Amino acid sequence: MILTLILLAAIGVIVLAERSAEHLPFAISMLSLSVAGFSFVVGDFDRAILLAGVLAAAITAASTIKHNYSALKLTVTDLPLMFAGTVPFFVSQYPRAVLAVLTGAGALILAVIATLIHGTGPSIPLDVRVSLFSVTLVCVVAAFRMSGGGISFQRIMAQRRCFYSTFMASLIDPHSWRQVGGLALSDIANDPLPLMAAVPARTIEYPDIIVIQHESIFDPRIFGLPIEPTVEAFLSPKNGLHGILNVDIFGGGSWQSEFSLLTGLSSASFGSNAYYLFKQGAGRFHNSLPHALAALGYRTMLASSCRRSFLNYDEFYRSIGISERIFADDFPPPFDISQFETTNSDAFFLEAAFAAHTKGIADDPAPRFLYALTNFNHGPHNRRLAAPGRFERERAFAASSLPDAQYAEYYARLAETASTWKRLKFELATNFPKRPVLIVHYGDHQPVVAKRIDRQLKLPNDARRAFRTFYAMEALNIASDRLASGPGADLDIAFLGTVALQQAGLPLDPIFATRASLLDHCRETYFASPSEQKRRFHRTLVDLGMIDTGPSVPNGRYSPTPTK
C-alpha cells in the first residue's frame, strides 16, 4: 500500500511538471529509468521512487526559475554555465531569486536525507533490478523516438510545459553535449546551395553606418502599452524603416544577439556552444558584416560599454573584421568610467562613442562603420538609474498605463535613451551636414521585467512574445527616395545586417546576396525555420571555409569580391 502511494505521488509530480500529455510517455519512462538507477544505490523500490520523485521535483523547480528569467527551460547545456562566470552576475543582479534557489536546494538536501534514513523498504534482488533497468531503458529509447527526438523538444523550449521531459531529453540528445575543439551546426544539409551572383551598389556615395545595440530595450506596444511622442520617434522614426525584431534570447546573453547581427547566423544553430561562441568561435567566421564593409573601404570600429576584459570581446571582434575596438576603460577624459558604471547611462556612453567615431573624419573621408553596445536598460529594474529629477513625467505616464514601479523605471530609462538620441542625432546632422549616414537601432533582448509585465496584463499565451524587440533604421543626408520607410516586415536578427546593407544601397557579395534571398523563406524565424534552402546555405558556408567547424582554426579559403 505504501509503495503504491509513493508511486502515485511520483507520477503526480511528473504530471504537474509536464502540464501536457504531448511528452508524458517519455517523461514517465525517464522517471522509471531513474527509479531503476536509484535502486542500484539504495537496494529497494520505496527509496528509489522517492529519490526519483525528489529529483523530478528539483528539475522542475530549477527549470521553472530559469524560464522565469530567460523564457527558456532548463537543459543539460545550462549546467556548465555555472562555471562560466554567470553565478556572480546572477547573485548581484537577482539576489532574491538566488535566495529562493539556495532555500530550495536546502530543502532538497533535507528531503534526500530523510528519504535515505526513513524511507527504507523491502530489499529487491539484484537480478530484478537489472531486468527493470533493461526494460525501462528500452522504453526510454522507444518513447524518445516516438516523441520526435531532440528537435521536438527544441521547438517547445519557450513554452511553459514539459519541464521534466525537456531536461531529460537533453541528457540523451547528442546535440546537447558541448563539442570540444570544434563547432557543429544543428541545422545543416548534406548538399550545398549554389551562391547567387553579387548584387551591384545602388549608389556611388557610401554612407557611414552606425549600428546601436540598445541593451534590453523592447517596444512597449508589443504588450499593448502606450508610448509618448519622443519614445515613438525613437522606436518608429517618421522617415525610417521600423518593425519587430525576433531574437534568440531573453533576459541576458547579449553577445548572442551581437553574433547573429554580425555573422548573419543564429547562435542557436550551434547548440551547446551558443553561449561560448565569442571564445570558441574566435577566428572561425570569415564572412561577416564588418568583413563585407572593410572590403568596401570602410573603417570599422566597436565602441563597447563593457571593459576590455569582458568575456573574449576584443579577440572575437578582431577576428570578424573590426579593426578598432574601444571599451569603456579606453575612453579618454572627460569620460569617467567609475562614474559611468554607477548607472551605465546612455547619455555618457553614446556621447563618448560618437566622439570617438567622428574624430579625424575631416582628415579621412573614408566611410565608417560604428557598432555601439549600450548597457543602460539592463535589469534589475527595482533601482532608479534614470537621471534624478528628470523623466518623472515619463515615469508617471508609464505608471498610469501599468501601475508597476519596475515598468515605470524601464520606461524612464527608455525615455532618457530616446532623449539622448534626439540630441545626438541633431548634433550629427549639424556638424556633418553633407555626410550621408544610416543609423540602425535594435534591442538585443527583453529584460526580465517583461515577464512581470506579461503576467500582470494577463495577455493571451504567446511563447514567442518574450523574444520580440524592435529595429529602426533612419538616415541623415540621404535622399528619401533611396530608402524604404514606414512599418517593415517582422525580421529575425540574423537578417538585420543584410537588410541594413540593402537599405544603405551597398553592393552585396555572393554570400550576402544568397542570404538576402532567404528572407522570403525564413524572415522572422531564422533558426526555427524548417527551410531546406537555409540548411543548404549553411553547408555552402562550411564548404567554402566561411565557418570553420574543425578542431583547428585555419584561415578562410574565400574572399568576397563585391561589385562596386
Side-chain angles (χ1 to χ4, degrees):
M1 181 62 180
I2 294 178
L3 182 60
T4 302
L5 291 175
I6 293 174
L7 182 60
L8 290 175
I11 293 176
V13 169
I14 295 300
V15 171
L16 290 174
E18 292 300 289
R19 308 178 190 180
S20 167
E22 182 179 359
H23 295 298
L24 194 57
F26 173 72
I28 292 176
S29 66
M30 281 302 304
L31 177 69
S32 301
L33 183 63
S34 298
V35 171
F38 279 123
S39 71
F40 288 115
V41 178
V42 297
D44 62 85
F45 284 152
D46 295 55
R47 289 184 294 177
I49 296 173
L50 284 171
L51 290 173
V54 169
L55 177 62
I59 290 171
T60 302
S63 189
T64 301
I65 292 173
K66 179 174 184 283
H67 192 276
N68 288 340
Y69 284 88
S70 71
L72 295 171
K73 295 190 286 286
L74 183 72
T75 66
V76 68
T77 306
D78 298 311
L79 301 183
L81 301 187
M82 293 188 295
F83 307 99
T86 59
V87 172
F89 170 80
F90 208 80
V91 170
S92 64
Q93 294 288 314
Y94 307 109
R96 292 182 181 178
V98 172
L99 180 61
V101 169
L102 293 176
T103 302
L108 172 66
I109 293 171
L110 291 176
V112 170
I113 293 173
T115 297
L116 293 174
I117 296 175
H118 302 292
T120 306
S123 179
I124 305 299
L126 179 61
D127 59 335
V128 174
R129 285 178 275 162
V130 170
S131 298
L132 177 63
F133 185 84
S134 301
V135 171
T136 54
L137 183 61
V138 171
C139 290
V140 164
V141 173
F144 184 68
R145 290 180 177 177
M146 289 174 60
S147 70
I151 189 66
S152 65
F153 292 93
Q154 292 177 12
R155 290 172 181 154
I156 62 169
M157 279 294 294
Q159 297 180 18
R160 203 175 180 84
R161 60 190 180 92
C162 301
F163 290 100
Y164 177 74
S165 59
T166 296
F167 179 83
M168 301 309 279
S170 72
L171 282 173
I172 60 177
D173 182 3
H175 291 298
S176 296
W177 295 93
R178 187 178 175 199
Q179 184 175 346
V180 177
L183 294 178
L185 285 86
S186 61
D187 50 350
I188 186 170
N190 293 323
D191 299 320
L193 180 71
L195 293 178
M196 299 186 67
V199 176
R202 292 186 286 109
T203 178
I204 60 173
E205 190 176 27
Y206 292 176
D208 290 343
I209 298 177
I210 299 173
V211 179
I212 307 176
Q213 175 174 279
H214 294 279
E215 172 66 45
S216 299
I217 286 185
F218 63 92
D219 189 335
R221 292 172 294 187
I222 292 174
F223 295 94
L225 295 170
I227 57 177
E228 296 175 296
T230 301
V231 172
E232 183 177 14
F234 169 68
L235 296 173
S236 306
K238 183 177 179 181
N239 297 316
L241 182 69
H242 51 85
I244 290 175
L245 186 69
N246 285 282
V247 297
D248 295 327
I249 53 176
F250 174 90
S254 303
W255 52 92
Q256 291 178 243
S257 286
E258 296 163 34
F259 172 85
S260 294
L261 169 79
L262 296 172
T263 65
L265 301 165
S266 169
S267 63
S269 295
F270 297 89
S272 56
N273 277 310
Y275 184 89
Y276 303 93
L277 282 170
F278 267 44
K279 183 174 183 179
Q280 186 123 345
R284 293 182 179 275
F285 299 94
H286 305 291
N287 179 268
S288 68
L289 182 61
H291 280 137
L293 292 172
L296 295 170
Y298 276 74
R299 288 185 56 183
T300 57
M301 174 186 288
L302 168 75
S304 172
S305 57
C306 299
R307 291 178 180 257
R308 185 175 290 272
S309 59
F310 183 68
L311 289 180
N312 197 42
Y313 265 44
D314 192 29
E315 175 59 22
F316 180 81
Y317 276 107
R318 183 202 62 78
S319 76
I320 62 168
I322 293 189
S323 58
E324 188 173 1
R325 301 167 300 283
I326 302 176
F327 295 85
D329 44 351
D330 297 326
F331 289 118
F335 185 86
D336 184 334
I337 188 170
S338 298
Q339 180 185 5
F340 166 70
E341 289 182 336
T342 61
T343 64
N344 290 298
S345 168
D346 281 352
F348 292 152
F349 169 70
L350 288 177
E351 186 171 330
F354 275 59
H357 167 68
T358 57
K359 182 180 179 181
I361 279 183
D363 301 323
D364 182 2
R368 300 187 174 207
F369 170 66
L370 170 66
Y371 189 34
L373 307 177
T374 73
N375 203 33
F376 184 38
N377 225 322
H378 200 293
H381 289 84
N382 56 4
R383 53 180 181 159
R384 287 198 172 199
L385 296 185
R390 299 186 60 201
F391 306 102
E392 292 304 318
R393 182 180 60 81
E394 290 81 357
R395 189 184 300 274
F397 173 83
S400 68
S401 58
L402 180 64
D404 182 275
Q406 293 193 32
Y407 172 64
E409 172 63 18
Y410 166 80
Y411 190 87
R413 295 187 203 175
L414 172 59
E416 182 171 336
T417 295
S419 176
T420 297
W421 170 243
K422 182 179 180 181
R423 174 175 58 83
L424 292 175
K425 179 181 176 181
F426 175 78
E427 292 176 2
L428 269 180
T430 302
N431 296 334
F432 303 97
K434 296 183 179 180
R435 192 174 180 94
V437 185
L438 177 72
I439 304 103
V440 180
H441 306 270
Y442 76 96
D444 57 346
H445 57 74
Q446 292 183 19
V448 172
V449 72
K451 295 285 284 186
R452 179 187 179 102
I453 295 168
D454 205 350
R455 287 193 298 270
Q456 291 190 45
L457 293 175
K458 298 179 180 179
L459 299 174
N461 288 333
D462 181 354
R464 292 303 308 170
R465 186 184 296 119
F467 299 93
R468 296 187 185 115
T469 64
F470 84 103
Y471 71 90
M473 301 184 190
E474 52 185 325
L476 297 175
N477 309 317
I478 299 177
S480 59
D481 58 357
R482 278 179 45 193
L483 303 170
S485 61
D490 290 5
L491 281 180
D492 188 280
I493 191 169
F495 288 119
L496 188 58
T498 302
V499 173
L501 292 179
Q502 292 176 320
Q503 189 78 338
L506 298 180
L508 303 181
D509 69 37
I511 289 178
F512 271 94
T514 306
R515 183 178 289 112
S517 73
L518 297 177
L519 273 164
D520 292 333
H521 293 265
C522 309
R523 197 164 291 279
E524 75 275 12
T525 53
Y526 189 80
F527 176 69
S529 169
S531 169
E532 183 63 18
Q533 295 288 93
K534 176 200 70 173
R535 293 166 56 85
R536 293 180 63 195
F537 176 59
H538 290 171
R539 172 56 62 189
T540 299
L541 294 178
V542 171
D543 288 352
L544 288 174
M546 295 299 96
I547 305 174
D548 294 323
T549 58
S552 60
V553 187
N555 293 322
R557 298 188 295 273
Y558 171 84
S559 297
T561 53
T563 302
K564 294 195 176 184

